[in-house]
Amino acid sequence: MADRRNQLVVRVREMLADALGSARNRSDAAQTALATARDRAVRVRRAALGVPERVGAERDRRLAEIDAQHTARLAALARQAAEAAAREAPGAGSMPWERWQPTPADRAEPPGGTRIGTVQLPDVEPVPALVALLDAGHVALDGDPEGCAAVVSALLLRSLGRAVPGGVRVVGYDPDHLGGGLAGFAPLGTAGLLTFVGPGGLGRLLDDLVEQIRRINETVLAGEHATLRELAAAAGRRPEPWRVAVLLGGEELSRHERGQLDRVVRAGAACGVHLIVQGVPLPADPTVTRVRVTGAQARVDTLPVHLDPSPPAALVTETCRQIASVVSAGPAPTPFTDLLPAPEQMWREDSATGLTAPIGEGPHGRPVLVSLGDYPPHALIGGPSGTGKTNLIFAWIGALAARYSPAELEFYLLDFKEGVSFARFAQGRRDPSWLPHMRLVGINVNTDREFGLALLRFLAEELRRRADAAKKHEVTKLAELRAVDPTGHWPRIVAVVDEFQMLLAGRDAVAREAADLLEDLARRGRSQGIHLVLASQDVRGIEALWGRPALVAQFTLRIALPKALRILAERNDAAQSLPKFHAVVNAESGLPEGNEVARIPSASDWETWSELQHRLWRMRPAEAAPARLFDGDAIPRLADAPDFRALTAPEIGTPRGPVALLGEIIDVQARSAALRLPRAPGRNLAVLGTRVDEACAVLDAAARSLARQHRPGTARFSIACLDPDADPAARALYEELADDAAWYDEESVAELLAETAEGLGAPGASQAPHYLLLFAVDAAAGALATRIGKATGGAHLRRILHDGPERRTHVLAWWRGIARMRADLGGPSARTDQIGAWVALDTHGGELGSLYPGTGPDWYPRPWRGLFFDRAVHRTGQTIIPYGPAR
């Protein structure tokens, strides 16, 4: 028992010893941990004492970094804002007043914002403050009256300077000051760019603005574009001006006025109609910018702005004067290239059913198309001198020629006024190119009405040819004829006659026949593709035209230039208010409802036209030939005449009936007036008149052309010159004919006549042709009287005239008067049958009655023209131009 107790005591003691050791170990560890903790606490306390200083330094560093970044960012944003403002409102939109000047934007470029002041930010340059006005919205002003007036002036001047002259139209409503608030802008009124509405006129003003918005939405935008700004960007130009209404106070608005004002606010910006108002409340709308003015400061919506000063009064007035001056002078013409298709699209159109091409640009930016076909078939163009009639014709011809090939379209052009503008269509010395479509160009034909008549006769013959072809193929219209005869040459023909009233002036045979031909061509030409374009400065006095209502009715297409009279219908005065470079195009016989206003491009200057003509000339077909050019001021040369170059001598013998060329016939084909000299009675020529040069030219051309048809030594040319003034020309001819010619003068002319008369029919007489070229033969009377007696000498001449032609002896003589010729033929009662042909120079038609069927020709002499009549072939005389000197 004791042992167990001892064992238990020992065991307890061992356990207590273990527990004591463990407790001591824990105590040591706790002491160590405590010491470590105290040490850590000391370090923590020590470290904690340094944290505020480091955190403060870091905080200060970070704050400084953030501040620098903020400043740099703010400066960058300010620069970007300034750059954006410069882009949005360049030039006149934001330029300071001390160096401000108008800087119109491109015609399709929107004007952007408008500067009214600056926004001042700390430590950066001021940023321009812009408000949205043109194409963007409206501006409502409130507050200090002087500050508001400065903002109004700045907005208007910057808007005017940013747009092209005439691009902004202003209407002012200032019932309190009666327009005094806009006095500096008054010069705009002279050009119609500024109008004022008096007290009580606000309702009418708002009604007009609403009507403008309705019209633009309906006819200009027409559902294709949402705003004028979009349309301008797409079309490359702005079709409508901006309209800015400045409303400066007034009575309280009526219910109707309030409704109209709300409509303008809602829909105006899209249509270029804008409001600048002070003292008139505007409804809440995103397009309204509200400016609250306090002295030189303002709040634009919620943004504080430092306002710019009011623009200098002298700057406002001078700028408005300059703009008004430009607008009053008229807008510049649009580029000619606007009418032309792309080069790869040229000559792609088909003229079977008609001709259509733009002639200019309409007020909405769209091309104004002009057609010639079954309807309308023909055109009248009218406008006073200087209004651009020639330029319009150039533009129309160019637009057509660029679209239709020469196989589809041919032009015949006749200009009765003096000038050579249309000569460039034909080949010239300065420019070898020509318009491939042009077949005839007549210039300076103001005294040659016969040439106009010849053109109408040519067109009438072409009409007859086409009508016969249509009848053969059992069709009625050109389109049908081209379909059944695709290999035929059936282009549409456009004949342009400028100053056509010259052709119809007077009451003579030329005017009567021309009017008849015009009426027939106008009536029947439409179905066969022949179209007439008649142009004139003034058609009030053309009785031959306006006295024929059936003729005028065919010209359903009317083009009236500024101030044109009687081109449009009597109650249509649209042309009276046209600006320069514009025309009224009307395809409804001039009725007002058919009016279209076109802005005509500049097409007639040399460089502009030459570029197109050279391009088309290089595209010409290989068989193309230059147009026939008739210049009424030019004298043709015999060596250049096609008929003269075609003359040749036969291989054997003499030709039957040689031809004497006398001059160029005034007609379309440039033919020569030809006198055939067969072995038949009366085959002699008389040249009548006192003009030495012209008479010598006729005889010279006749002799040279006859000589060309005979081999050397096979014909005789006897040249007798009895007028000293004609001696140089006769001598030159004698030298040209060389061995085949013999010379005679006053001393020897009697022997020539006697020898020739006695040799007629004598046995063994030569059968070679003999031509007597007698210059001033009437002067031979004295020489004949001295040598062989006047009666005998006259008898010799009469026998040669009577019997010579049947024996190949022909007289080509110049008499200086009809009375002198009749005296040489035997007196006033003598027959003139032996003179089968004659050329009258300065001899009036009334004197030619005995030589002409009927009562005499309608012939009025003029320089370097003659009337040729051959009783064997002519019913009426031919007007000719004697060929000029051969050397």
Side-chain angles (χ1 to χ4, degrees):
M1 185 71 178
D3 290 339
R4 183 180 290 274
R5 194 167 41 247
N6 289 337
Q7 290 177 354
L8 182 60
V9 170
V10 171
R11 181 63 178 164
V12 170
R13 286 178 177 172
E14 289 177 352
M15 291 176 63
L16 288 173
D18 291 340
L20 180 60
S22 176
R24 287 175 177 166
N25 288 339
R26 289 193 189 94
S27 177
D28 292 341
Q31 289 296 328
T32 301
L34 178 61
T36 301
R38 286 174 176 169
D39 183 60
R40 186 183 298 112
V42 171
R43 292 198 305 271
V44 170
R45 289 191 187 99
R46 190 180 298 120
L49 292 175
V51 166
E53 183 178 352
R54 290 198 305 274
V55 170
E58 180 63 22
R59 179 199 61 199
D60 294 342
R61 184 191 67 77
R62 184 58 179 160
L63 287 176
E65 181 180 323
I66 293 172
D67 188 54
Q69 291 177 348
H70 174 72
T71 302
R73 180 62 176 162
L74 189 61
L77 290 174
R79 286 194 301 272
Q80 292 175 7
E83 292 171 357
R87 288 193 303 271
E88 184 70 9
S94 60
M95 192 183 300
W97 297 127
E98 57 270 16
R99 51 189 178 87
W100 189 91
Q101 60 182 356
T103 56
D106 180 81
R107 58 182 181 170
E109 180 182 343
T114 305
R115 169 174 165 160
I116 64 169
T118 57
V119 176
Q120 186 66 58
L121 300 174
D123 302 323
V124 295
E125 291 293 327
V127 176
L130 309 181
V131 296
L133 182 61
L134 300 186
D135 274 342
H138 317 279
V139 177
L141 300 168
D142 190 19
D144 179 54
E146 291 186 6
C148 290
V151 173
V152 171
S153 295
L155 288 174
L156 286 180
L157 186 60
R158 292 191 185 280
S159 298
L160 290 166
R162 188 75 180 102
V164 297
V168 174
R169 297 181 183 178
V170 182
V171 57
Y173 176 68
D174 187 10
D176 294 336
H177 298 90
L178 301 178
L182 301 176
F185 297 89
L188 295 174
T190 60
L193 302 179
L194 172 63
T195 55
F196 287 101
V197 176
L202 180 59
R204 294 191 301 274
L205 168 59
L206 294 175
D207 290 343
D208 180 66
L209 295 179
V210 170
E211 175 58 24
Q212 292 291 351
I213 294 170
R214 184 205 62 76
R215 178 187 62 81
I216 292 171
N217 275 319
E218 181 178 330
T219 64
V220 181
L221 299 178
E224 298 181 14
H225 300 277
T227 67
L228 281 179
R229 185 169 185 166
E230 290 182 10
L231 174 57
R237 69 175 298 278
R238 187 174 181 85
E240 291 281 336
W242 288 281
R243 294 172 172 84
V244 179
V246 182
L247 312 181
L248 303 179
E251 301 291 336
E252 183 177 351
L253 273 64
S254 67
R255 181 177 180 181
H256 172 74
E257 292 170 345
R258 172 58 59 190
Q260 296 292 70
L261 185 65
D262 290 350
R263 294 183 181 94
V264 173
V265 169
R266 286 195 308 271
C271 298
V273 177
H274 306 280
L275 301 172
I276 300 175
V277 304
Q278 177 190 358
V280 178
L282 293 185
D285 192 273
T287 61
V288 177
T289 301
R290 301 186 184 276
V291 181
R292 174 70 182 177
V293 180
T294 306
Q297 305 297 319
R299 280 195 167 271
V300 179
D301 292 332
T302 60
L303 182 68
V305 173
H306 181 75
L307 293 175
D308 287 337
S310 180
L315 178 64
V316 173
T317 302
E318 181 60 26
T319 300
C320 293
R321 284 176 180 166
Q322 292 176 1
I323 293 173
S325 175
V326 172
V327 173
S328 298
T334 58
F336 178 48
T337 52
D338 288 358
L339 295 187
L340 306 181
E344 62 274 10
Q345 295 299 319
M346 289 184 175
W347 290 6
R348 295 291 185 86
E349 301 292 333
D350 187 334
S351 67
T353 58
L355 300 164
T356 300
I359 201 172
E361 187 180 71
H364 305 149
R366 298 181 177 90
V368 175
L369 299 179
V370 178
S371 296
L372 289 174
D374 287 346
Y375 188 90
H378 312 292
L380 276 177
I381 301 174
S385 178
T387 55
K389 178 162 53 67
T390 299
N391 181 74
L392 183 145
I393 293 173
F394 267 81
W396 195 2
I397 289 176
L400 287 170
R403 287 167 170 78
Y404 299 93
S405 71
E408 300 288 333
L409 170 64
E410 289 182 351
F411 287 111
Y412 293 79
L413 181 61
L414 187 61
D415 187 1
F416 271 99
K417 68 178 182 299
E418 295 182 2
V420 296
S421 298
F422 297 140
R424 69 187 64 177
F425 295 121
Q427 190 176 37
R429 291 187 298 271
R430 175 181 176 185
D431 187 353
S433 71
W434 70 86
L435 187 65
H437 310 70
M438 196 65 61
R439 305 314 315 138
L440 174 71
V441 178
I443 59 175
N444 293 319
V445 291
N446 50 312
T447 61
D448 290 317
R449 297 162 61 231
E450 296 89 350
F451 189 78
L453 184 59
L455 172 61
L456 296 181
R457 288 170 176 168
F458 172 84
L459 295 175
E461 183 59 35
E462 176 64 17
L463 176 61
R464 189 176 301 110
R465 185 181 75 89
R466 295 185 176 207
D468 290 344
K471 186 182 299 184
K472 174 184 176 181
H473 291 283
E474 298 182 346
V475 296
T476 58
K477 297 183 178 180
L478 181 69
E480 299 169 347
L481 176 60
R482 290 178 57 164
V484 299
D485 185 17
T487 60
H489 181 65
W490 309 113
R492 286 193 179 267
I493 291 176
V494 176
V496 183
V497 184
D498 196 6
E499 301 304 331
F500 72 96
Q501 73 275 7
M502 298 292 295
L503 179 60
L504 302 176
R507 298 179 180 274
D508 57 8
V510 172
R512 290 191 295 271
E513 184 179 356
D516 290 339
L517 289 171
L518 272 176
E519 185 167 351
D520 183 57
L521 287 168
R523 181 171 50 85
R524 298 194 299 130
R526 71 168 71 202
S527 61
Q528 302 304 331
I530 298 178
H531 308 285
L532 301 174
V533 177
L534 306 184
S536 174
Q537 293 183 11
D538 189 353
V539 296
R540 285 179 296 180
I542 307 176
E543 298 178 2
L545 178 62
W546 293 106
R548 294 173 176 256
L551 171 59
V552 179
Q554 302 299 325
F555 290 82
T556 53
L557 175 59
R558 312 286 177 85
I559 302 177
L561 292 156
K563 310 302 181 185
L565 298 173
R566 295 199 68 183
I567 293 295
L568 305 176
E570 290 187 5
R571 57 188 178 91
N572 188 351
D573 60 354
Q576 303 308 306
S577 59
L578 277 181
K580 193 176 180 181
F581 306 117
H582 286 67
V584 176
V585 179
N586 187 303
E588 301 296 335
S589 299
L591 297 176
E593 52 267 26
N595 287 349
E596 283 189 275
V597 176
R599 187 180 180 189
I600 310 301
S602 176
S604 58
D605 64 274
W606 181 270
E607 295 299 329
T608 299
W609 180 261
S610 291
E611 183 176 349
L612 172 64
Q613 179 161 305
H614 276 267
R615 179 184 295 277
L616 300 181
W617 180 63
R618 290 190 294 270
M619 295 168 58
R620 71 190 186 281
E623 68 278 7
R628 147 88 157 127
L629 175 63
F630 175 83
D631 185 351
D633 286 348
I635 299 176
R637 296 177 67 252
L638 179 65
D640 298 332
D643 290 334
F644 179 75
R645 293 198 299 266
L647 295 176
T648 59
E651 292 293 332
I652 300 175
T654 58
R656 291 187 59 186
V659 176
L661 305 183
L662 309 177
E664 182 179 285
I665 301 172
I666 297 183
D667 71 353
V668 173
Q669 289 88 3
R671 297 173 299 162
S672 297
L675 170 63
R676 292 201 168 274
L677 298 176
R679 299 178 64 174
R683 293 291 83 197
N684 302 299
L685 173 71
V687 180
L688 306 170
T690 61
R691 292 182 181 144
V692 177
D693 292 342
E694 299 170 26
C696 291
V698 174
L699 294 182
D700 181 273
R704 292 175 189 269
S705 57
L706 288 169
R708 192 174 176 89
Q709 300 167 71
H710 298 282
R711 294 186 175 279
T714 62
R716 294 173 55 199
F717 292 87
S718 297
I719 302 173
C721 182
L722 307 178
D723 186 338
D725 292 336
D727 192 74
R731 287 283 182 182
L733 175 61
Y734 171 68
E735 294 172 0
E736 174 70 20
L737 299 180
D739 297 337
D740 290 335
W743 179 263
Y744 300 88
D745 55 20
E746 290 185 0
E747 299 295 326
S748 56
V749 66
E751 287 78 359
L752 167 63
L753 296 178
E755 175 188 345
T756 304
E758 293 169 358
L760 294 175
S766 173
Q767 295 299 310
H770 185 194
Y771 304 104
L772 284 75
L773 298 150
L774 308 179
F775 292 78
V777 64
D778 53 282
L784 296 175
T786 302
R787 295 289 177 180
I788 58 175
K790 183 175 180 181
T792 303
H796 287 162
L797 177 59
R798 288 192 291 275
R799 183 181 180 192
I800 297 170
L801 290 170
H802 187 272
D803 299 334
E806 294 184 78
R807 293 168 175 80
R808 295 186 178 176
T809 299
H810 306 275
V811 175
L812 295 87
W814 164 36
W815 278 275
R816 292 172 294 184
I818 291 182
R820 295 190 177 193
M821 184 190 73
R822 294 190 69 88
D824 288 343
L825 295 180
S829 61
R831 294 177 62 87
T832 58
D833 296 352
Q834 59 267 50
I835 303 296
W838 47 262
V839 174
L841 299 174
D842 56 342
T843 302
H844 286 271
E847 303 176 59
L848 298 168
S850 61
L851 303 175
Y852 196 84
T855 59
D858 287 328
W859 170 245
Y860 304 96
R862 50 192 188 272
W864 213 262
R865 297 293 186 271
L867 181 67
F868 171 49
F869 181 77
D870 185 344
R871 68 172 70 240
V873 296
H874 291 157
R875 295 177 58 190
T876 58
Q878 288 182 327
T879 303
I880 67 171
I881 307 174
Y883 289 113
R887 298 180 181 178

